[in-house]
């Protein structure tokens, strides 16, 4: 609402005043580079990134080249230490997760404080998160929900295919209207109440707005989520909001606010590993699973996913009802049997007994032994004979480079040095 008399701004009333403002605008627009060239508007936007803050000096005062490899490894080490602290406590984790990602596509998502916009950054980071989520949680399922015009829409059914989720998300990137947290929670809670009792129900909300336009009492909806054992987490892109913090506290989730794009991606990837199970909900269950095999090439059957006629080689055959399914893991729509493959179980097993984080060490001048990476056999000493920071396994005392450190903990899940020292039976 605008103010009454005297509530507006005082515009220049004379021609000289208007000329003065025009000259000031021209002075602001005509910023020149070192070679005398005038910067365009889009160039000035990127020139304000304060990139000089990343520069570092050596002992002699000369500028050091920015080592992005060390920056990436330091972020990775921080996430690894957080995960290892939870693993050391022997906390029960939810390996079969049913996660709904709620993306705020209200008009607040079109703000350009994230470049090129909040919506573009969220879509880009959500794609990376979905791939990482299925890589670390092969037995889990993901669904997408969007909020726009005060209404929540289920973009995709909950499933185990990352490509179908990403394709659906990239085709619906439009911002409009207000955001409604209550409508999103009501929709997601209704779908999650239908999943099996052994599944862990989770909601991850990527929230851009600073308010919520709800049709009823959102506190009652939060209490309903708590009774339904739904863990709700929120990552904000603007500022901290009380209702989001209260939601996370009541349901056992986490609430964080991103500072920039890199920080947002880091916060998002922290939700990829399985979280600790809530104590009163962590009941042990035996889950009956089936291990389907590829069908014969001459076998013709109807796919239960897409209702299309396919050959046996194009899918998997349920061992109980002999129906064709396209992808694994999934749940047979005919008999309800959970269908997985043995590699899925093996990859989930690594979260229970992860590789111990390696210690960061440096070489001393004249030190013998361990000057090559035990994994890739590359030298750990710089060409200028300066010491190089690397890591060492605390058990087998073998030295590894940064690349091998990430590969061992993220993909291999076994230390080559420790495995080589085991005696064969």
């Amino acid at each position: 609402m605008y103010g009454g008399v005297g509530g507006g701004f005082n515009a220049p009333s004379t021609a000289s005043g208007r000329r003065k403002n025009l000259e000031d605008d021209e002075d602001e627009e005509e910023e020149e580079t070192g070679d005398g060239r005038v910067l365009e508007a889009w160039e000035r936007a990127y020139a304000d990134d304060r990139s000089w803050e990343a520069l570092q000096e050596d002992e002699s005062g000369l500028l050091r080249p920015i080592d992005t490899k060390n920056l990436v490894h330091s972020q990775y080490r921080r996430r690894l230490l957080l995960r290892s602290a939870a693993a050391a406590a022997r906390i029960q984790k939810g390996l079969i997760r049913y996660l709904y990602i709620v993306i705020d596509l209200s008009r607040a998502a079109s703000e350009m404080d994230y470049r090129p916009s909040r919506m573009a950054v969220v879509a880009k980071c959500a794609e990376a998160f979905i791939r990482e989520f299925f890589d670390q949680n092969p037995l889990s399922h993901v669904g997408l929900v969007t909020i726009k015009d005060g209404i929540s829409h289920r973009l995709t059914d909950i499933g185990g295919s990352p490509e179908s989720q990403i394709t659906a998300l990239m085709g619906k990137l439009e911002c409009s209207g207000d955001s409604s947290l209550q409508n999103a929670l009501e929709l997601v809670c209704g779908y999650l109440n239908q999943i099996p009792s052994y599944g862990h129900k989770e909601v991850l909300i990527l929230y851009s707005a600073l308010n919520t336009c709800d049709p009823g009492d959102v506190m009652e909806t939060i209490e309903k989520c708590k009774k339904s054992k739904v863990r709700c987490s929120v990552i904000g892109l603007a500022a901290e909001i009380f209702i989001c913090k209260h939601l996370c506290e009541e349901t056992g989730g986490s609430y964080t606010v991103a500072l920039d794009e890199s920080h947002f991606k880091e916060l998002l990837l922290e939700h990829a590993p399985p979280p600790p199970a809530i104590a009163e909900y962590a009941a042990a269950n035996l889950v009956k699973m089936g291990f389907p095999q590829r069908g014969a090439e001459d076998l013709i059957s109807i796919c239960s996913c897409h209702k299309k006629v396919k050959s046996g080689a194009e899918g998997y055959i349920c061992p109980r009802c002999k129906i064709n399914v396209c992808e694994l893991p999934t749940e047979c729509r005919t008999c309800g049997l959970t269908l997985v493959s043995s590699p899925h179980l093996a990859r989930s097993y690594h979260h229970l007994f992860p590789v111990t984080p390696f210690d960061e060490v440096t070489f001393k001048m004249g030190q013998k032994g361990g000057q090559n990476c035990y994994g890739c056999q590359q030298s750990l000493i710089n060409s200028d004979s300066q010491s190089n920071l690397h890591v060492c396994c605390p058990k087998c005392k073998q030295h590894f480079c940064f690349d091998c450190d990430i590969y061992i903990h993220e993909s291999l899940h076994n230390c080559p040095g420790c495995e080589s020292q085991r005696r064969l039976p």
Side-chain angles (χ1 to χ4, degrees):
M1 180 181 295
Y2 293 99
V5 178
F9 62 89
N10 294 324
S13 58
T14 62
S16 61
R18 287 193 295 271
R19 284 196 301 271
K20 184 177 185 301
N21 284 348
L22 183 59
E23 291 173 357
D24 292 341
D25 293 341
E26 292 177 352
D27 292 341
E28 292 177 358
E29 292 179 359
E30 293 182 357
E31 297 182 11
E32 296 184 354
T33 60
D35 55 0
R37 184 174 63 85
V38 178
L39 287 175
E40 299 291 343
W42 65 271
E43 291 179 303
R44 290 200 307 276
Y46 286 94
D48 296 335
D49 281 337
R50 305 175 67 87
S51 57
W52 59 85
E53 293 183 352
L55 298 177
Q56 299 178 354
E57 296 182 355
D58 57 12
E59 295 79 2
S60 59
L62 300 177
L63 292 179
R64 293 176 177 173
I66 301 176
D67 191 355
T68 56
K69 183 177 179 180
N70 285 341
L71 293 177
V72 171
H73 186 263
S74 62
Q75 295 177 357
Y76 150 77
R77 293 279 299 177
R78 186 160 57 250
R79 295 197 305 269
L80 178 63
L81 292 176
L82 290 175
R83 292 202 300 257
S84 63
R90 293 299 181 188
I91 299 175
Q92 182 175 347
K93 295 184 177 182
L95 297 183
I96 303 179
R97 306 165 63 187
Y98 290 83
L99 171 68
Y100 267 105
I101 304 175
V102 180
I103 301 178
D104 180 10
L105 293 181
S106 63
R107 68 170 65 94
S110 61
E111 295 289 336
M112 300 178 64
D113 49 352
Y114 291 74
R115 291 175 181 149
S117 67
R118 293 180 184 176
M119 178 186 67
V121 170
V122 168
K124 177 183 176 182
C125 295
E127 177 182 358
F129 170 76
I130 291 174
R131 297 186 187 279
E132 182 69 16
F133 179 87
F134 281 110
D135 183 65
Q136 298 198 32
N137 306 270
L139 300 180
S140 301
H141 299 76
V142 166
L144 295 177
V145 171
T146 59
I147 312 173
K148 67 168 70 174
D149 298 322
I151 304 174
S152 58
H153 306 268
R154 186 171 71 161
L155 198 59
T156 61
D157 294 333
I158 199 162
S161 172
E163 297 302 330
S164 61
Q165 306 289 339
I166 294 171
T167 302
L169 174 61
M170 295 306 173
K172 297 290 184 180
L173 294 178
E174 297 178 356
C175 302
S176 62
D178 297 320
S179 180
S180 176
L181 190 62
Q182 183 186 16
N183 283 336
L185 292 176
E186 289 282 358
L187 178 67
V188 170
C189 188
Y191 286 122
L192 289 178
N193 285 334
Q194 304 173 10
I195 70 171
S197 59
Y198 56 79
H200 291 258
K201 311 171 189 177
E202 299 178 45
V203 179
L204 177 59
I205 304 174
L206 311 180
Y207 209 67
S208 299
L210 285 173
N211 56 6
T212 174
C213 184
D214 300 321
D217 188 357
V218 68
M219 294 297 181
E220 295 181 0
T221 305
I222 294 176
E223 190 64 26
K224 184 188 298 184
C225 293
K226 183 178 179 180
K227 291 181 179 179
S228 300
K229 307 176 184 179
V230 178
R231 182 201 300 266
C232 301
S233 299
V234 181
I235 301 179
L237 282 85
E240 184 175 293
I241 309 173
F242 167 76
I243 191 62
C244 293
K245 185 176 182 180
H246 178 72
L247 169 66
C248 299
E249 290 176 349
E250 289 295 316
T251 59
S254 62
Y255 180 41
T256 52
V257 179
L259 301 176
D260 49 33
E261 179 179 353
S262 60
H263 187 220
F264 174 73
K265 185 176 182 180
E266 183 178 349
L267 294 176
L268 190 57
L269 291 178
E270 289 179 358
H271 292 272
I278 302 176
E280 57 268 28
Y281 307 147
N285 290 284
L286 294 177
V287 182
K288 184 176 291 187
M289 293 185 176
F291 296 87
Q293 297 180 351
R294 288 279 187 181
E297 294 184 1
D298 56 348
L299 179 64
I300 303 298
S301 60
I302 298 177
C303 170
S304 63
C305 309
H306 306 91
K307 308 300 181 184
K308 295 181 180 180
V309 177
K310 294 185 177 181
S311 66
E314 295 178 352
Y316 301 89
I317 305 300
C318 175
R320 176 185 289 175
C321 63
K322 308 303 180 183
I323 200 169
N324 194 336
V325 295
C326 292
E327 57 191 18
L328 298 177
T330 187
E331 184 175 313
C332 181
R333 299 190 179 186
T334 302
C335 62
L337 181 66
T338 302
L339 304 177
V340 298
S341 64
S342 55
H344 291 147
L345 289 178
R347 281 160 53 192
S348 300
Y349 175 83
H350 296 311
H351 291 295
L352 302 178
F353 304 98
V355 180
T356 305
F358 295 164
D359 300 326
E360 292 187 351
V361 294
T362 54
F363 277 124
K364 296 180 180 179
M365 299 307 298
Q367 177 180 344
K368 296 183 179 179
Q371 296 185 1
N372 293 330
C373 173
Y374 188 78
C376 61
Q377 298 300 314
Q378 292 187 0
S379 176
L380 297 176
I381 303 297
N382 289 331
S383 57
D384 55 0
S385 298
Q386 294 182 355
S387 62
N388 190 12
L389 185 66
H390 58 282
V391 294
C392 176
C393 177
K395 294 182 179 180
C396 64
K397 304 303 180 182
Q398 297 292 348
H399 297 257
F400 298 91
C401 64
F402 287 160
D403 292 335
C404 290
D405 180 25
I406 297 177
Y407 176 71
I408 289 171
H409 288 88
E410 296 292 336
S411 301
L412 191 59
H413 300 292
N414 288 289
C415 174
C418 296
E419 293 296 324
S420 62
Q421 293 179 2
R422 290 187 177 183
R423 295 181 179 180
L424 296 177

